Amino acid sequence: MLVLSRKLNEKIIIDDQIEITVVGIENGKVQLGIEAPKEIEIMRKELLEDVKEENQKAVKNKKLLNRLNNIKFDL
Amino acid sequence: MEIMSRDFGKIEVDKSDIISFDSGLPGFEGLEDFVLLPLAEESPFIIMQAVEDSDIAFVTVEPGNLIQNYEFEISDKVEKNLKIESVSNLLILNIITLKDKIDNSTANLSAPIVINLEEKLAQQVILDDQRYQVRYKIFAAAEEVAE
């Protein structure tokens, strides 16, 4: 892993096309500005992990299925 | 073709009913082919059954049943992956996680399943949107009739 240190408003560029700027630093939180081509997907890693875990929980529901029989939503 | 489903036993499905997740779903990267099976007539719930693994089936529902004005932008990448030409061919589903205390069941509004019914291509899209939670309590608003 490459470790770089950057100050407020300093940038790094990845592969000529992704530009990351440190836009804020306070109370142990770093705020990053990311400019990247539209086809690059960017997300917080913990969100992806969370979705993975939730998907795995979601398939363990067979015994509860019959509880859904009478449910209708009226939105 | 005949497949084994978790909730309905052996069922006959047409090859053209199979929708493909080319990159799988997070946590189930190896499973690409699924079929959509209504839980029951008139039920809002749709079972998304893996073709290759009878044990894997998700309970899903269209988001319109859960909240109003659910909206998100489909990225160029997803549009390309799913060969989307018109939004009218899209079906959006959200995965439900059932809990022993059924009132605590949740829907994943943060990661909708986008299906292009025309091309039979699908992807679970992850929205980094504060408004939509991974665990949204589905019965907070709806009235529960069961039991």
Side-chain angles (χ1 to χ4, degrees):
Chain A
M1 184 196 279
L2 172 67
V3 179
L4 289 172
S5 75
R6 301 275 63 196
K7 293 180 185 148
L8 190 62
N9 296 325
E10 288 185 337
K11 299 168 188 284
I12 56 170
I13 290 189
I14 301 169
D15 205 20
D16 282 340
Q17 50 171 354
I18 301 167
E19 193 172 291
I20 300 173
T21 312
V22 178
V23 293
I25 309 171
E26 55 182 280
N27 302 330
K29 244 191 200 174
V30 181
Q31 213 173 11
L32 301 173
I34 303 167
E35 282 177 85
K38 273 182 147 183
E39 64 273 15
I40 302 281
E41 282 182 312
I42 301 163
M43 74 179 76
R44 291 172 295 132
K45 187 172 179 185
E46 67 270 23
L47 181 58
L48 175 62
E49 295 299 325
D50 203 10
V51 169
K52 261 186 204 182
E53 277 175 35
E54 196 59 25
N55 279 350
Q56 282 161 348
K57 275 186 210 154
V59 296
K60 293 176 186 144
N61 55 22
K62 183 172 171 56
K63 64 180 168 45
L64 295 166
L65 270 190
N66 60 341
R67 305 286 303 277
L68 292 178
N69 286 341
N70 300 316
I71 292 172
K72 290 201 177 69
F73 298 101
D74 49 19
L75 250 194
Chain B
M1 59 186 279
E2 201 170 64
I3 68 164
M4 186 52 113
S5 71
R6 185 193 66 176
D7 305 317
F8 312 101
K10 262 190 202 164
I11 51 164
E12 181 68 28
V13 298
D14 201 277
K15 267 209 169 108
S16 64
D17 294 332
I18 294 174
I19 55 168
S20 298
F21 290 74
D22 284 345
S23 38
L25 286 92
F28 296 93
E29 281 76 5
L31 292 175
E32 290 186 13
D33 292 345
F34 285 82
V35 286
L36 301 178
L37 310 166
L39 178 66
E41 228 175 288
E42 309 264 318
S43 170
F45 299 102
I46 297 170
I47 304 294
M48 193 171 85
Q49 169 70 51
V51 173
E52 298 111 326
D53 186 340
S54 61
D55 289 338
I56 304 299
F58 296 93
V59 178
T60 69
V61 71
E62 287 191 67
N65 291 297
L66 305 174
I67 58 165
Q68 284 171 334
N69 303 323
Y70 185 58
E71 54 175 20
F72 58 89
E73 200 167 324
I74 291 176
S75 70
D76 291 3
K77 190 172 182 182
V78 171
E79 201 175 300
K80 204 170 137 201
N81 287 350
L82 302 184
K83 300 182 184 162
I84 296 169
E85 293 199 336
S86 157
V87 285
S88 61
N89 295 327
L90 296 184
L91 173 66
I92 310 296
L93 294 173
N94 294 82
I95 294 178
I96 305 280
T97 305
L98 296 174
K99 296 287 164 63
D100 290 325
K101 189 173 183 313
I102 208 82
D103 284 357
N104 291 336
S105 298
T106 58
N108 187 345
L109 295 183
S110 176
I113 294 177
V114 179
I115 303 165
N116 182 356
L117 294 171
E118 187 72 19
E119 299 284 339
K120 312 285 176 198
L121 293 172
Q123 185 174 340
Q124 188 171 23
V125 176
I126 300 180
L127 314 175
D128 208 336
D129 187 327
Q130 302 276 347
R131 291 175 296 171
Y132 302 133
Q133 308 153 26
V134 173
R135 285 167 287 274
Y136 173 81
K137 282 184 100 176
I138 57 175
F139 296 123
E143 207 177 321
E144 198 201 340
V145 192
E147 295 189 42

